Each structure stands twice: as structure tokens, then as C-alpha cells.
Amino acid sequence: MARTRDASPRRTVLKALAGAAILGTVGSSRAAATLRSWPLGTAHRTGIHDVAPAPDGGVWFTAQRSGELGWFDPKDGRVELLPLGRESAPHGVLQGPDRAAWITDGGQNAIVRVGWPARDVRVFPLPAGSPWANLNTATFDHDGDLWFTGQSGFVGTLTVKSGQVRVKSAPRGSGPYGICTAPNGDVWWCSLAGSFIARIDRATGDSQVVEPPTPRQGARRIWSDSRGTLWVSEWNSGQLSAYDPARKTWRSHRLPGSAPRAYAVWVDEHDMPWVSDFGSNAVLRFDRKAERFERFAFPRESAEIREIQGRPGEVWLPESGTETISVIRTG
């Protein structure tokens, strides 16, 4: 059962320190893109982890270290921090069909909903007796229910209308990480420790494993394009791979550089995949027609982009290594 907290929780509002950098695209005739960055400037370290566009033009971010949901206003650099609970350590965040922020909270072993703009907090704990799931990432299916991963070896669902949370053990144990919903309604997730992707049977909650061609590749995050092709960032192999479920075919593209580490992946409105690379301290856009990467380097060392989300013309990036939030505007 959900726990409801005060509709006006204690929150901190402050001004981020505005900074800016301009970068052109590499090896492309496209118009130059711009990178703008704002150090959060908070009184305490937030541990910024994931981001998601908010319905009011702002951007949410999970403050994993401080147990808060952050909201950033790109118009004036304002940052607002809302506490989520005493043991909170949020990981993923996304906007739900109800325009609220939905959060996977590993510290509370719960799904947390923050209503927007009311800012009321509701906590949906995992069933009583559930082990610590190390909750990671979530996605909504076409029926409006939330599916989520737990890196300790679990996949679960929250039926939003009833508030019921169900959890199942994942195949091969620990590792469930990224998750997404394809245009046809299928829900897919990937296992970092298990090095595979899997499709969920939404009627039973069971998962069917699909093996990528590269062994021990470390599938970290997964995102679908508008055609249903699944794009997978492979941490161990340093590859961006694409799986076509209809044809059951794979294509893999190694990121440039001597030691790439592919972490986050996201597909924009033009069906262009973006992937972050810890190895080169950069974000890359993949031109699927030319089959080449365009690199956007960061002016700060160890940016550590763990998630990418965006809006048309905007690619939002949380720099967990520098306590900075950035956007690439593609025009």
C-alpha cells in the first residue's frame, strides 16, 4: 500500500552557478550543436544520477547521495531539492502519463511518486518481506503500469490504479539494469552482470532472455527507437549494439578510442542514438546512415554521464562526477 506524505514537503530552492561552453559536431554537415552547463551549486553534494524532462519545461534529477528529487529550471538556473524519505537513495526518474515524477528508490526499497506541480510524495514499498532489490530503472507500458528493474536480481511492476507492487526473481540472478518500452508495447530490460537483454511477458511477469552476439559485453542500458529497434549500451565491450526483434538480428558498433566504456543510451526524435562514454569523457551521437559516431567532449574531467534523456532539440545530461547538469541543444 502506498504511503502518502505532506503535499508541501520541506524543500530547498537555490540558484545554480551558470556556465557555458560551445562545441561543434564532428564529421558532419549538420548545424553545430551547443553544450551549456550549470554547476548545481548546492550546499551539500547531491550525487546527481539520472535526469528526466519535467512537464513545466524544467528537468528532474535524482540526488542519490542526499536522498532528494531535484528540479532544475534552465530559464534562470534555479534548483529545487525535495526530500524523499529518511533512507532514500533514488536512482532512476521518469515522467509518468500523469505528469508526475516516478522514481526507483534503492534506499527505501520502494517506488516513489512526486506529484507535479503539487510536489506531494507517495511511497510504494516493495511487498513485505522482499529482499533489498537495489532498484534501478523504470518504464511505463501502454496500459499505464510501471515496470522496473532491481540490480540485485529482480524485475517488478506497479499497477498504478491499485497501487499493488509485484516482484519476480530475474533469470540468472543479479544484473537487471536498464529497461524500456517499445512502440508495440513490449517491455525490454538488460542485465549488466548477466550480459543479455530480455523481454517481459506482461501477463505473467516472466522474462525471455535474448543473447547478444558478443559474450560478457555488459549490457547496461537499453532504449527503443520509433521502429522498434533496441539500442543497447555495452559497458564491458565498449559497443553500441542494435537488436531488431522482428528479424532477430544484431549489429554492433564499437565506440571510437582505445578503451571505450558505454554507459547511457537514448534515442532522439530523429531516431539518432546517443551514448555516453566514460572512457573518453564524452557523449556520442551515432549517425546510423553513415554508421559513424560524432563526439561531444566535456570541458570538465570525469563528467560521468549515467543517464541521457531529452526533448525535441535538447539532450539532457547529468554529470555525476562534477555535480553539473548539462544540455546539448541540437537546433
Side-chain angles (χ1 to χ4, degrees), residues 27 30 227 231 251 253 270-273 285-294:
R30 291 175 179 269
R227 307 168 192 173
W231 294 86
R251 294 184 67 120
H253 311 273
H270 302 296
D271 268 353
M272 301 283 279
R285 176 170 56 186
F286 182 64
D287 187 329
R288 53 199 301 171
K289 291 182 180 177
E291 293 198 342
R292 66 184 179 189
F293 290 96
E294 302 168 298

Side-chain angles (χ1 to χ4, degrees), residues 67-80:
E68 297 164 308
L69 174 68
W71 175 79
F72 169 73
D73 187 347
K75 292 187 213 138
D76 58 13
R78 188 161 48 103
V79 175
E80 182 178 334

